[in-house]
Amino acid sequence: MAHVFVYAQNLPAVESFEDETALTTYKTKNSNLSTSEEHFRYGKKSLKWTWIGEANFSTSNFRLLTKKESPLAYGDHFPASPTLQLNFYNEIPQNQKITFSFKKNGQKEVWFDVVLNFKGWRTIWVPFYEMKGNAPKKGASIDYDTFQVSTMSKSGTLFFDDIIFSQYQDDRHQYPDEIVPFVKEGQDLAKDHWMPLISNYERIKNLQPKPISVATRMDLKKFEQKIDASQTIPSRYKVYINTLKEMFAELHLKLKDDKVIGPPLTFKRERQESYFNEVQQGKPVFNDIYDFGKVMKKLSNFHDRANAAEKKAIEEMLIIGAKYFLDQGWAAGSNGGTRHHIGYNVRDITEAFFNCRKLLYREGLLNEIARSLHWLFNIGMLLEDESKFHVNIDYLNTQSYYHLMLIFMFEKQEMQAAILSAYSKYISITLAQQKEEWGFKIDGTAWHHNGHYPAYGIGAFNNVPKVINTLARTRFRIRTEGHENFKKAFLASRIYSQKFNWGFGSSGRHPLEDNGIQKMKDRFLWMANAGDPVGKLKIDKDVAAAYLRLWGKEDLFNSSLFTEINGIQKEDVSGYYTFPYAALAVHRRDNWAAFIKGYNKYVWASEIYVASNRYGRYQSNGSIQLLNEQGEKGSGFQQKGWNWNRYPGTTVINLPLKELEPKMPLIMFRSEETFAGTAKLGGNGIFGMILNEGKGSNADGREVNVGFYGKLKAKKSVFSFGDKLICIGTNISSIDDKNSTQTNLFQTFLEAKKDKIFTSLGDVKKFSLKEEIPKNTEHKNWIIDNYGNGYHVLSNDIVHYQKVHQKSYHNKYSINTGKMNPKGKGAQETEGNFASAWINHGLAPKNASYQYVIYPFNNEDEIKSFGEKVKTDNSYNILKANETAHIVHDKTTNTTGYVIFEADKNLENGIIKSVSKPALIMAKKDDDNSTTLSIVQPDLNFEPKGSNRFINFSRPVKFTITLDGKWSTTLSKNVLSVDHVSKGTVISLELKDGLSHEITLMKK
């Protein structure tokens, strides 16, 4: 007993059985316990339990981890509960069961059973609240003093390793499988699209395929050959067998008595979120499934081009790898405790097994490997009732193409045809969906994480074109509705990108990281050559025209094919584009684009993650990013030295970065304002938002009522006409009396210290300096950044500007926690030389304002004459700028833009007298008797779902416009009625989606 007492002074939270003294703390009945090197996870040993008759073993030598000790990636942000996590190995499947239980004061409190009808390793995560008996409530702490494993079976042998007796685990991530099917029982498991489901796997088992025709068999063979061809690596890569052997040797696998012994085959999430203790478990030696897949894929790629001796060596390695994969618990029916987000990590291993499927068949391994992948990729979901189909960009990114590939790992073509038919229907239906929580909306935005998120959309754009192209013009082709909706979103990506970058406003948690569509060249070609959505044309002219603009100069072959043979010309994308589901407007002229970004009740401002974009609070505070054809880097935007307070166009409270970083681990802030939108007419457009940081919700997590100290508010608008953007801000206020409220004009990287900026006071070459342009009531103040963007300040404000060396922090580094995301691949602190300019509204302003005009990308001659240009530019008039509305008239197009923040107020300017709800309206006077209106009701009016969730698609909003004078227009589903009142006209409308609706007014 004394020995046990000494050992118990340091009770283990995890037991790995590396030290035989651990066995002295276990009691047994009809059992023999020993340490073994036959099978192991971490370390080199496991616990071997052999028994005869009714048997058990137990220990009281353990401790339960507190929530603070548990490695939770998001801390308290998501609910977590105490969870038993352990690994056990079975050599001989049998229809017997064992029971895991916990006791308190000799009484059995909680337990669960596991049937031993499997072979190999199994990992289980079982929350205590899911166990039988006197189970605790979800999230509640536990207090047990004995852990026991028992059985009533006649005899057997099992191996146990890395038992974590209890740690808090994110409640989203414990997964049921065929070993522990009771986990999450009664819940809608399909909500987690990463989770392989027993019900889906059963659908495959029960499928009875029908006979197929010769033509179908020929189609199937053609598809399989197409996929095979896509897997072929270029001939310039030669077989270096010694290099391949060295790569494989690094996996540390040994074949002994037809058993593969090696370190645990895990994936990175398991390492990040499971407690680990080197004292108990030894050094963390393991094979990550992602790295293992890369080795296996490389072997499979070189298999067919190797000589006989090399091929034999490669085959031996592939077979060992396949057996290891299955033995490590990646077989069908196993979820390994959790495998959330697994799709990102198993693409290479899937391609590897597909490439060597003939070898696997020859070795009698194909069925087992295929079943494991069909389980892991949830391919049975394709056979679900179509009412359960829901579009998800994660699926389209990580699984859609692999589903197509895995169809051809069924041996029988009848099964291939049945699953492929279901697959075509599933992809067709989900691509067409616009009214789901995520997916592709009516305006072309790509929704993920409850918002437009190009960084995820790109995954779908990378993979779906392969699917559409592979199946094009066959009986299995993607249906018109799905093809058409995907095409809209696919092509939208080249509008909200310039030339390839999609800019910081839409970057999510990846700001200034060169994100964009630059690697989508092949995808545009696949979409172009897949033909039109109707399935009649061999080349999609719209996609081909986009390809010619983006890559035509560097691709003479396809340029000739599209232009000379098919008469398709390079597209011109000059114009104004609206993306209301992103609160985003894009104004394009010639070779530049302006991205104007806001947020509201339904569209989040930015994604600030636990270790990404830690200072991204201001990305969408009315930001205006100007990009030329060279994209972000070529337009002066880089992360090194970037001041996260100075996103151009934004109104902000300029904070020390330590205060700018939120204390919350994850925040995707949405305000309570419904007003953020944009309207377009004739290639021009207007943008408006009510900025309100005081109170809102978090688009991810439990926090409903969140807000930022300072309670910053503003009414902001941008009127884009031709080659200029007229920017207005009113009603700017905050309660922060220690940090000044400012509106940023620009922040641009200096390639060289001597790079010039230009001001109304003279050229500025000197470095370093901080200066200001004094107030001016005659609108004479202007400044041009070092990329030629001119800013004419109309308001009577001091213009502050500087050329300085800036020190900052990488977006993936947290000042407050000291954590650095490894994906940052750079210094925590960054520095660089920048020019910047801003208007200072002072401390705790009450009703500040600004007005300025942007003239993007002036050439040398235009810079020289800029002062004269702005002095003589009388092409516009600002008619109103107060709390009610911002109204600007453009003389060139005879168009008046109305950004109307308040309802039922007399606007006193032009044809629009008032509106019953806030709106954005453009009115173009065509002649004395005719006016065209473009109308937007910006409230997307999503239906609430729970505390801080929405059903993410727009519902109709009814409102009225009162016009000055007697007018008539055609009734439609959007125009409900036209009524004439004293000296005016009242038009009743019903609009949704935040999209512009045009009507023509005729004078009566």
Side-chain angles (χ1 to χ4, degrees):
M1 288 297 293
H3 183 79
V4 173
F5 178 75
V6 171
Y7 187 83
Q9 284 183 0
N10 185 22
L11 298 178
V14 57
E15 189 62 84
S16 193
F17 308 102
E18 296 305 301
D19 189 338
E20 288 194 14
T21 58
L23 301 182
T24 64
T25 68
Y26 283 78
K27 297 178 180 179
T28 62
K29 175 184 176 182
N30 295 334
S31 303
N32 181 55
L33 296 180
S34 62
T35 58
S36 171
E37 295 182 358
E38 294 174 66
H39 307 283
F40 55 86
R41 296 286 285 173
Y42 294 112
K44 295 182 179 178
K45 294 180 181 179
S46 63
L47 174 69
K48 184 177 183 180
W49 176 40
T50 58
W51 71 88
I52 297 175
E54 182 181 343
N56 66 62
F57 69 87
S58 63
T59 182
S60 295
N61 193 75
F62 62 85
R63 68 187 177 91
L64 309 171
L65 290 167
T66 65
K67 194 170 189 179
K68 190 174 181 181
E69 293 174 294
S70 302
L72 292 167
Y74 300 101
D76 292 334
H77 192 71
F78 294 107
S81 300
T83 300
L84 168 69
Q85 300 181 201
L86 58 80
N87 305 272
F88 55 108
Y89 189 97
N90 190 20
E91 289 186 329
I92 303 172
Q94 54 177 311
N95 196 30
Q96 302 293 333
K97 67 180 181 181
I98 60 171
T99 301
F100 295 95
S101 60
F102 283 82
K103 297 180 179 180
K104 177 73 172 177
N105 298 326
Q107 295 294 315
K108 188 176 175 182
E109 291 288 329
V110 290
W111 67 89
F112 64 93
D113 299 328
V114 164
V115 179
L116 302 176
N117 58 356
F118 63 89
K119 180 181 178 183
W121 280 108
R122 291 297 183 270
T123 300
I124 58 172
W125 292 9
V126 182
F128 284 84
Y129 71 84
E130 300 266 25
M131 297 181 188
K132 295 179 181 178
N134 187 25
K137 290 184 178 180
K138 194 173 185 178
S141 61
I142 56 170
D143 181 22
Y144 306 118
D145 56 26
T146 304
F147 168 71
Q148 179 175 283
V149 182
S150 57
T151 184
M152 302 287 286
S153 64
K154 292 181 180 179
S155 64
T157 299
L158 287 175
F159 300 81
F160 294 83
D161 206 357
D162 302 316
I163 301 172
I164 302 173
F165 297 96
S166 174
Q167 79 158 73
Y168 278 80
Q169 187 56 255
D170 191 322
D171 288 336
R172 299 172 302 164
H173 296 159
Q174 308 101 331
Y175 277 12
D177 58 19
E178 291 186 335
I179 309 302
V180 286
F182 56 87
V183 173
K184 286 183 166 62
E185 196 168 28
Q187 295 185 33
D188 182 2
L189 300 180
K191 285 183 177 179
D192 186 341
H193 56 278
W194 298 113
M195 190 189 299
L197 300 183
I198 297 168
S199 58
N200 285 334
Y201 191 51
E202 290 296 321
R203 289 189 181 92
I204 299 174
K205 292 180 184 176
N206 298 331
L207 182 63
Q208 298 294 322
K210 297 176 182 178
I212 57 174
S213 66
V214 173
T216 298
R217 291 181 188 277
M218 290 174 66
D219 271 347
L220 292 171
K221 205 64 193 170
K222 182 176 75 173
F223 300 150
E224 190 173 5
Q225 288 169 351
K226 252 187 168 181
I227 298 169
D228 271 329
S230 74
Q231 291 296 108
T232 304
I233 60 173
S235 58
R236 66 178 179 273
Y237 295 110
K238 307 300 179 187
V239 178
Y240 294 101
I241 192 65
N242 289 336
T243 302
L244 294 175
K245 286 180 177 178
E246 288 169 7
M247 289 175 59
F248 190 77
E250 290 177 6
L251 299 173
H252 305 291
L253 305 184
K254 295 178 182 177
L255 188 61
K256 185 179 180 182
D257 300 328
D258 204 36
K259 295 177 184 176
V260 182
I261 306 299
L265 181 60
T266 68
F267 85 108
K268 60 184 177 182
R269 286 286 180 176
E270 194 171 283
R271 288 287 303 131
Q272 289 174 352
E273 296 185 10
S274 287
Y275 178 81
F276 192 88
N277 188 327
E278 287 192 17
V279 175
Q280 266 74 43
Q281 297 167 279
K283 295 288 184 183
V285 178
F286 60 97
N287 289 323
D288 186 277
I289 187 68
Y290 178 79
D291 298 324
F292 172 69
K294 290 184 114 168
V295 174
M296 292 289 284
K297 183 182 175 183
K298 190 153 282 190
L299 290 170
S300 73
N301 284 146
F302 287 106
H303 175 258
D304 287 344
R305 65 179 57 172
N307 62 37
E310 293 168 340
K311 185 173 285 190
K312 183 180 179 183
I314 290 172
E315 288 181 352
E316 287 176 358
M317 291 185 278
L318 285 169
I319 292 165
I320 291 172
K323 290 180 177 179
Y324 169 67
F325 175 81
L326 295 169
D327 190 66
Q328 282 291 315
W330 290 82
S334 170
N335 267 335
T338 189
R339 285 181 181 150
H340 67 94
H341 287 75
I342 187 63
Y344 292 100
N345 299 279
V346 292
R347 290 178 279 196
D348 283 345
I349 191 63
T350 304
E351 292 180 26
F353 287 141
F354 174 82
N355 292 341
C356 67
R357 62 195 184 280
K358 292 176 183 175
L359 169 66
L360 295 174
Y361 176 77
R362 199 172 72 218
E363 295 295 320
L365 290 167
L366 179 61
N367 277 337
E368 201 171 355
I369 289 289
R371 283 197 294 266
S372 74
L373 295 175
H374 291 152
W375 158 267
L376 186 65
F377 277 82
N378 237 343
I379 203 167
M381 65 189 272
L382 304 174
L383 302 170
E384 173 69 279
D385 184 89
E386 66 182 63
S387 65
K388 302 287 180 67
F389 291 174
H390 303 288
V391 62
N392 188 289
I393 284 176
D394 271 339
Y395 167 79
L396 296 173
N397 176 11
T398 64
Q399 294 177 299
S400 61
Y401 186 68
Y402 296 94
H403 270 185
L404 181 60
M405 182 179 284
L406 290 174
I407 286 170
F408 296 96
M409 289 189 75
F410 287 103
E411 286 186 26
K412 295 181 179 179
Q413 282 194 315
E414 289 81 3
M415 278 293 286
Q416 293 175 11
I419 301 290
L420 183 58
S421 180
Y423 172 81
S424 176
K425 181 173 78 170
Y426 179 87
I427 297 290
S428 295
I429 289 172
T430 55
L431 288 182
Q433 290 173 336
Q434 295 177 338
K435 295 184 177 182
E436 293 293 315
E437 184 175 356
W438 295 350
F440 306 112
K441 301 301 183 184
I442 192 170
D443 61 347
T445 49
W447 266 55
H448 196 71
H449 287 198
N450 293 303
H452 174 55
Y453 210 147
Y456 281 90
I458 197 82
F461 301 149
N462 275 329
N463 287 289
V464 174
K466 284 189 282 189
V467 173
I468 292 175
N469 185 284
T470 300
L471 303 180
R473 294 181 292 279
T474 72
R475 72 198 69 223
F476 297 103
R477 78 179 187 88
I478 303 306
R479 298 175 195 166
T480 299
E481 295 80 9
H483 187 157
E484 205 163 56
N485 196 47
F486 176 77
K487 172 187 167 182
K488 180 197 290 181
F490 182 80
L491 285 179
S493 71
R494 104 288 192 196
I495 293 298
Y496 56 73
S497 301
Q498 175 62 13
K499 180 177 183 181
F500 299 114
N501 294 140
W502 52 62
F504 53 65
S506 299
S507 66
R509 64 178 182 269
H510 311 284
L512 302 177
E513 293 181 3
D514 197 31
N515 290 304
I517 62 171
Q518 54 267 46
K519 295 181 181 178
M520 282 173 55
K521 179 180 177 182
D522 288 343
R523 280 70 183 170
F524 272 77
L525 275 178
W526 293 336
M527 282 295 286
N529 289 314
D532 68 321
V534 178
K536 292 184 178 180
L537 301 177
K538 288 188 175 181
I539 293 178
D540 188 305
K541 294 182 179 181
D542 299 326
V543 183
Y547 180 86
L548 289 171
R549 178 178 66 87
L550 294 168
W551 293 285
K553 287 182 181 178
E554 64 187 64
D555 185 353
L556 294 177
F557 174 78
N558 283 296
S559 291
S560 176
L561 174 68
F562 291 152
T563 303
E564 295 177 20
I565 298 176
N566 290 281
I568 301 168
Q569 302 300 317
K570 177 179 74 172
E571 68 177 352
D572 178 4
V573 290
S574 291
Y576 193 87
Y577 301 85
T578 70
F579 299 95
Y581 279 79
L584 170 69
V586 183
H587 187 59
R588 307 185 69 105
R589 285 296 184 274
D590 301 322
N591 296 319
W592 59 263
F595 299 116
I596 308 161
K597 183 72 172 72
Y599 67 94
N600 55 25
K601 185 176 181 177
Y602 312 107
V603 175
W604 38 263
S606 64
E607 184 180 48
I608 299 174
Y609 231 53
V610 63
S612 288
N613 197 28
R614 294 305 301 165
Y615 317 100
R617 169 173 160 183
Y618 296 140
Q619 273 170 233
S620 299
N621 280 30
S623 60
I624 304 171
Q625 187 176 19
L626 305 174
L627 296 181
N628 58 30
E629 282 211 305
Q630 280 69 53
E632 285 197 320
K633 285 187 177 178
S635 304
F637 299 97
Q638 72 158 33
Q639 185 168 175
K640 291 180 180 178
W642 181 262
N643 182 343
W644 301 103
N645 285 293
R646 295 234 174 276
Y647 282 108
T650 59
T651 299
V652 306
I653 301 172
N654 193 298
L655 296 168
L657 293 184
K658 187 174 179 64
E659 294 178 33
L660 180 61
E661 181 189 6
K663 300 298 185 288
M664 294 169 63
L666 192 163
I667 181 167
M668 303 165 74
F669 182 70
R670 298 175 300 205
S671 72
E672 290 194 336
E673 304 291 345
T674 59
F675 194 98
T678 182
K680 65 175 181 177
L681 180 63
N684 297 309
I686 59 177
F687 166 92
M689 74 175 292
I690 297 177
L691 173 64
N692 187 348
E693 291 191 340
K695 191 177 179 182
S697 65
N698 192 351
D700 199 354
R702 291 177 294 173
E703 290 83 3
V704 181
N705 297 316
V706 293
F708 295 108
Y709 173 77
K711 297 186 176 180
L712 176 66
K713 296 180 181 179
K715 292 181 176 178
K716 294 171 67 71
S717 64
V718 182
F719 297 78
S720 302
F721 290 109
D723 64 351
K724 60 185 174 292
L725 294 85
I726 302 158
C727 308
I728 301 173
T730 62
N731 308 99
I732 300 167
S733 67
S734 83
I735 63 168
D736 192 324
D737 57 5
K738 294 180 180 177
N739 303 286
S740 62
T741 298
Q742 302 175 355
T743 295
N744 297 303
L745 301 183
F746 65 83
Q747 178 182 200
T748 47
F749 176 68
L750 295 166
E751 293 284 351
K753 291 180 178 180
K754 63 182 180 182
D755 287 353
K756 283 185 180 181
I757 63 174
F758 308 86
T759 78
S760 48
L761 301 179
D763 299 354
V764 181
K765 188 175 181 182
K766 181 184 173 184
F767 184 96
S768 147
L769 86 161
K770 295 183 179 180
E771 299 286 352
E772 60 185 48
I773 305 172
K775 291 183 178 182
N776 188 290
T777 58
E778 298 177 2
H779 313 317
K780 291 183 177 179
N781 286 348
W782 55 265
I783 187 168
I784 302 175
D785 68 23
N786 48 311
Y787 289 83
N789 300 302
Y791 300 81
H792 180 205
V793 180
L794 305 175
S795 51
N796 187 20
D797 288 302
I798 295 172
V799 179
H800 300 263
Y801 65 91
Q802 62 185 23
K803 287 177 64 183
V804 295
H805 182 73
Q806 294 182 175
K807 291 187 176 181
S808 188
Y809 294 98
H810 197 286
N811 85 80
K812 289 180 165 45
Y813 171 69
S814 167
I815 302 174
N816 291 297
T817 66
K819 291 181 180 178
M820 177 76 183
N821 189 328
K823 291 181 180 178
K825 297 180 182 178
Q828 296 171 352
E829 297 183 19
T830 68
E831 53 188 294
N833 298 326
F834 284 83
S836 54
W838 65 93
I839 294 169
N840 193 349
H841 305 298
L843 303 176
K846 298 298 184 189
N847 192 26
S849 63
Y850 64 80
Q851 294 181 14
Y852 65 93
V853 184
I854 307 174
Y855 298 84
F857 297 108
N858 295 274
N859 59 36
E860 284 188 33
D861 290 338
E862 288 170 329
I863 290 172
K864 289 177 183 176
S865 61
F866 190 77
E868 189 61 29
K869 176 180 180 177
V870 299
K871 182 180 177 181
T872 58
D873 186 0
N874 59 1
S875 63
Y876 65 92
N877 283 327
I878 297 176
L879 304 177
K880 196 179 194 70
N882 62 14
E883 71 280 358
T884 300
H886 299 171
I887 305 173
V888 174
H889 179 70
D890 178 64
K891 297 177 184 177
T892 305
T893 59
N894 206 9
T895 301
T896 303
Y898 298 80
V899 176
I900 309 167
F901 300 108
E902 295 186 3
D904 301 319
K905 297 286 181 70
N906 191 343
L907 299 176
E908 302 168 336
N909 283 280
I911 192 174
I912 310 294
K913 287 185 70 175
S914 66
V915 291
S916 65
K917 291 181 179 176
L920 297 104
I921 302 173
M922 298 180 74
K924 182 179 186 299
K925 186 176 180 181
D926 300 312
D927 55 45
D928 289 341
N929 297 311
S930 174
T931 294
T932 301
L933 297 185
S934 175
I935 308 161
V936 167
Q937 210 298 315
D939 184 357
L940 292 174
N941 195 26
F942 289 178
E943 182 179 347
K945 183 182 74 170
S947 55
N948 66 332
R949 290 286 187 272
F950 298 101
I951 299 174
N952 296 329
F953 68 90
S954 182
R955 296 175 298 167
V957 176
K958 291 182 178 180
F959 72 112
T960 61
I961 300 173
T962 301
L963 305 175
D964 187 20
K966 300 293 180 69
W967 300 88
S968 65
T969 191
T970 305
L971 298 182
S972 67
K973 67 175 184 178
N974 298 112
V975 180
L976 306 180
S977 65
V978 179
D979 299 306
H980 297 106
V981 296
S982 176
K983 296 183 181 179
T985 304
V986 177
I987 301 178
S988 298
L989 301 106
E990 183 176 87
L991 301 178
K992 69 183 186 72
D993 295 310
L995 293 168
S996 289
H997 179 72
E998 291 186 22
I999 63 174
T1000 301
L1001 301 175
M1002 301 301 296
K1003 200 165 230 180
K1004 287 191 67 105

